[in-house]
Amino acid sequence: MPASFPQYVTEAITGPLPDPPGVKLQKEGLKAKHPVVFVPGIVTGGLELWEGRKCAEGLFRKRLWGGTFGEVYKRPLCWLEHMSLDNETGLDPCGIRVRPVSGLVAADYFAPGYFVWAVLIANLARIGYEEKTMYMAAYDWRLSFQNTEVRDQTLSRIKSNIELMVATNGGKKAVVLPHSMGVPYFLHFMKWVEAPAPMGGGGGPDWCSKYIKAVVNIGGPFLGVPKAIAGLFSSEAKDIAVARAIAPGFLDNDIFKLQTLQHLMRMSRTWDSTMSMIPRGGDTIWGGLDWSPEEGHSCGNNREKKNDTQVSDEAAESAVSQARSANYGRIISFGKDVAEAPASDIERIDFRGAIKGNNAANTTCRDAWTEYHDMGLGGIKAVAEYKAYTTDSVVDLLHYVAPKMMARGTAHFSYGIADNLDDPKYKHYKYWSNPLETTLPIAPEMEIFSLYGVGLPTERAYIYKLSPAAECYIPFQIDTSSNDEDTCLKDGVYSVDGDETVPVLSAGYMCAKGWRGKTRFNPSGIRTYVREYKHSPPANLLEGRGTLSGAHVDIMGNFALIEDVLRIAAGASGEELGGDYVYSDIFKWSERIKLKL
């Protein structure tokens, strides 16, 4: 709703609007207490040009990412060139410097009228927050986490800003609010800040307990997202696959002429950060060919809140297991028949040693180079003949189809589970953002929250097909003709409960089980809380993106979430908020994961 629209007109249509959380809590006498740090996610922070090629003249310090995106339409190829990183180093290409916008404006709005942090900032201001007690930890979200320090010293800046805010606020510790990819980024920071220099920040083993009151994670992909696999494998996620089904010609002839997807894939594959989103924990967490933690999930579940952390009602359990359930453990299946077949019936030919064969592409496609061109028809066929991929084999698959990208990525990220966390190899930064290969800081006073939306279908597994003309095209596509209501399959995508981006399992497992109590991943027993917000769409157009949304970004305007955040910032503990608040089956699903804690 534009602010200029007189409120009485709105209220005449919608009835009296509830007070925003900031106004409500101000009336209750809540006051600003702890300094607040925002850690934005991937793509939500603005990026501006500091040095560029001839084609980018007149764009000095103008936003290339965020804002109006005008340049994408005016000079698309120039924009692509400046938004890409160097394919070998993952850092700046020669002669180009694109840097994160700084200050609260970096991520308050993503585009005009499309808020990210703005609503939360406005509500914090109502109880007395201002620029000196809030800090946006903006970073270049295209880089790998450690490279934000190498190139921009971002981690050092976050460290000294938090120290400064705590010192100038009477020693009150900071409340940190990471959103989306900001969640693994801040996990990386907490390891970095206590690790000795030069690899780490040298803050010493008690830095986090000295400076951080609580880490309030919003929509956190702690264990990665299946969506990242579709994005890296074929540059598609559900929305693109659907667009292709509705208007088959559209994607093949818009702004970048023939090869929009190839160009976008070429650009996004230079961003090492996308590899931080590959699912972590392998088949132990995500399931194998014939099991998954979410087995028996039914699509149309309208649930009431349930706070039992224990598993309930075995009769209902067995009834559900009689019904057909999707094989969520098969993250990629070539063909619906493969997705549904019993595991023992799938005959697979291993792709790992397959000869990639002659180069399939002719030279006209080279301007939209993707690594598929180096694969040859033999390699493409081998990928399809493996038929079904679980999380473990998907990482090998990405190594096979995109060796250069994965060589950079695996230097910075890791996707396994640590057997022995005392092994000195885990001191390396590539493990720091994986909660299954690191320990939380020794900070028994600190609290960790996981706040996320539920009640929206969220991508979990895919049905693929080989695409016909694999010449200039990406040779694999989501098969949008596959549908089955019983198993939550729509347009080639199997969905589970989540916030449309992050499945419940990834957002909730660590705080529900992996870190709950004293575990080997949480040696000091930091208290953890899971708070879910059930999605409810806006009642009418005047509500804009709604105040009850559970969607991945729109949840930043959810009144219940904002109220929780304000109470924590004003000093409340997790117990005072009421502990866990759960609608989904996260506790039941967590019990099914056999991980040594």
Side-chain angles (χ1 to χ4, degrees):
M1 207 54 244
S4 56
F5 202 99
Q7 193 171 351
Y8 61 82
V9 180
T10 310
E11 297 202 350
I13 301 170
T14 62
L17 300 172
D19 274 342
V23 175
K24 173 183 158 187
L25 298 179
Q26 183 194 15
K27 288 176 183 166
E28 280 182 29
L30 239 69
K31 293 236 176 354
K33 182 176 179 187
H34 295 275
V36 173
V37 179
F38 309 112
V39 187
I42 194 168
V43 308
T44 51
L47 300 173
E48 59 190 18
L49 184 71
W50 280 81
E51 181 188 355
R53 304 263 157 88
K54 191 116 186 82
C55 69
E57 243 165 41
L59 295 181
F60 177 63
R61 293 197 61 215
K62 295 270 191 296
R63 285 199 188 201
L64 290 191
W65 189 275
T68 59
F69 280 98
E71 295 315 313
V72 185
Y73 303 106
K74 287 187 211 146
R75 16 188 159 178
L77 291 168
C78 183
W79 178 82
L80 272 172
E81 179 182 16
H82 285 75
M83 280 300 299
S84 299
L85 293 166
D86 182 285
N87 210 10
E88 304 291 329
T89 63
L91 294 164
D92 294 325
C94 194
I96 292 178
R97 280 184 298 149
V98 173
R99 295 292 179 265
V101 177
S102 59
L104 295 176
V105 294
D108 53 354
Y109 290 92
F110 174 59
Y114 191 91
F115 70 81
V116 182
W117 294 92
V119 179
L120 189 51
I121 291 169
N123 279 282
L124 282 161
R126 291 279 191 175
I127 63 167
Y129 280 89
E130 49 191 283
E131 193 93 47
K132 67 180 184 189
T133 43
M134 294 191 277
Y135 164 59
M136 180 71 72
Y139 58 99
D140 187 335
W141 45 260
R142 300 170 305 160
L143 300 176
S144 75
F145 301 163
Q146 191 68 4
N147 276 346
T148 62
E149 174 66 16
V150 170
R151 195 193 76 182
D152 299 340
Q153 295 75 53
T154 306
L155 299 172
S156 296
R157 288 160 196 278
I158 296 173
K159 173 177 184 271
S160 49
N161 269 298
I162 291 177
E163 290 168 353
L164 176 68
M165 287 169 85
V166 170
T168 51
N169 276 285
K172 295 185 189 74
K173 299 179 192 178
V175 167
V176 184
L177 304 174
H179 171 243
S180 187
M181 192 182 81
V183 168
Y185 185 67
F186 196 74
L187 279 181
H188 182 98
F189 171 84
M190 287 195 294
K191 294 304 283 187
W192 173 87
V193 74
E194 296 193 342
M199 196 187 286
D206 57 351
W207 193 93
C208 292
S209 76
K210 262 205 298 229
Y211 291 101
I212 300 175
K213 172 205 190 273
V215 183
V216 185
N217 301 292
I218 303 172
F222 290 96
L223 301 175
V225 288
K227 209 174 189 168
I229 289 174
L232 293 169
F233 182 51
S234 64
S235 195
E236 301 186 275
K238 188 174 66 185
D239 24 22
I240 289 182
V242 171
R244 193 174 249 157
I246 299 168
F250 161 71
L251 278 170
D252 300 330
N253 60 16
D254 55 12
I255 43 180
F256 301 120
K257 302 192 190 61
L258 254 173
Q259 301 158 344
T260 308
L261 279 186
Q262 280 82 339
H263 279 297
L264 289 176
M265 179 183 242
R266 187 179 60 165
M267 172 179 76
S268 61
R269 278 192 170 183
T270 65
W271 300 346
D272 290 350
S273 60
T274 52
M275 287 171 281
S276 71
M277 296 295 199
I278 293 171
R280 305 170 187 273
D283 297 4
T284 307
I285 299 285
W286 296 92
L289 282 178
D290 49 10
W291 81 279
S292 70
E294 302 104 325
E295 213 165 291
H297 165 70
S298 66
C299 312
N301 46 6
N302 256 344
R303 290 216 192 69
E304 290 315 300
K305 175 169 115 47
K306 49 173 184 276
N307 265 349
D308 48 338
T309 54
Q310 294 316 313
V311 184
S312 58
D313 202 0
E314 285 168 24
E317 284 267 286
S318 60
V320 169
S321 63
Q322 301 305 312
R324 282 194 315 129
S325 168
N327 293 310
Y328 291 121
R330 305 174 194 178
I331 277 200
I332 289 179
S333 305
F334 275 88
K336 185 166 181 248
D337 50 334
V338 172
E340 294 173 349
S344 53
D345 293 1
I346 303 175
E347 290 179 21
R348 304 199 288 177
I349 301 169
D350 201 346
F351 64 94
R352 289 176 182 87
I355 309 292
K356 294 192 175 180
N358 290 338
N359 188 326
N362 65 24
T363 46
T364 56
C365 307
R366 282 291 165 181
D367 61 329
W369 176 86
T370 65
E371 289 192 65
Y372 288 127
H373 296 158
D374 296 347
M375 215 161 76
L377 296 173
I380 290 167
K381 203 165 150 241
V383 165
E385 283 179 348
Y386 192 65
K387 297 200 172 74
Y389 293 82
T390 63
T391 312
D392 280 344
S393 49
V394 149
V395 176
D396 295 338
L397 169 67
L398 291 173
H399 273 286
Y400 185 78
V401 299
K404 278 190 185 164
M405 172 187 82
M406 289 301 285
R408 284 196 332 265
T410 45
H412 285 274
F413 301 107
S414 176
Y415 312 105
I417 297 173
D419 286 330
N420 170 20
L421 285 160
D422 298 328
D423 186 328
K425 79 170 187 181
Y426 291 113
K427 288 191 167 60
H428 190 275
Y429 59 76
K430 75 180 209 178
Y431 300 105
W432 290 348
S433 58
N434 180 0
L436 302 172
E437 294 184 300
T438 46
T439 54
L440 288 175
I442 304 295
E445 303 295 295
M446 193 169 108
E447 296 189 315
I448 296 184
F449 296 82
S450 186
L451 317 182
Y452 55 90
V454 295
L456 285 161
T458 303
E459 297 175 42
R460 176 69 170 81
Y462 302 88
I463 292 179
Y464 269 88
K465 61 179 185 189
L466 279 175
S467 54
E471 182 117 317
C472 279
Y473 292 88
I474 294 164
F476 311 108
Q477 281 184 6
I478 294 174
D479 180 2
T480 51
S481 66
S482 296
N483 291 285
D484 183 346
E485 275 183 19
D486 293 350
T487 57
C488 316
L489 172 63
K490 188 165 187 267
D491 299 327
V493 180
Y494 285 105
S495 54
V496 286
D497 197 2
D499 69 2
E500 263 181 338
T501 298
V502 183
V504 162
L505 196 64
S506 180
Y509 174 76
M510 289 314 295
C511 282
K513 184 131 192 280
W515 288 331
R516 192 50 71 99
K518 269 195 183 180
T519 71
R520 65 196 186 101
F521 302 112
N522 179 9
S524 67
I526 294 172
R527 288 184 302 287
T528 62
Y529 301 96
V530 178
R531 293 183 69 82
E532 297 181 341
Y533 304 86
K534 187 156 176 252
H535 176 72
S536 180
N540 53 52
L541 284 176
L542 291 173
E543 270 191 31
R545 286 152 68 197
T547 56
L548 298 168
S549 177
H552 187 63
V553 176
D554 293 356
I555 198 171
M556 305 286 273
N558 180 304
F559 276 12
L561 177 135
I562 293 173
E563 183 172 328
D564 282 352
V565 167
L566 264 59
R567 288 187 187 282
I568 296 166
S573 68
E575 284 307 311
E576 288 163 336
L577 281 190
D580 297 323
Y581 196 95
V582 173
Y583 295 92
S584 75
D585 284 327
I586 183 59
F587 288 107
K588 181 172 90 186
W589 294 343
S590 297
E591 283 307 313
R592 292 180 181 165
I593 291 172
K594 298 294 172 245
L595 176 62
K596 181 172 110 256
L597 297 177

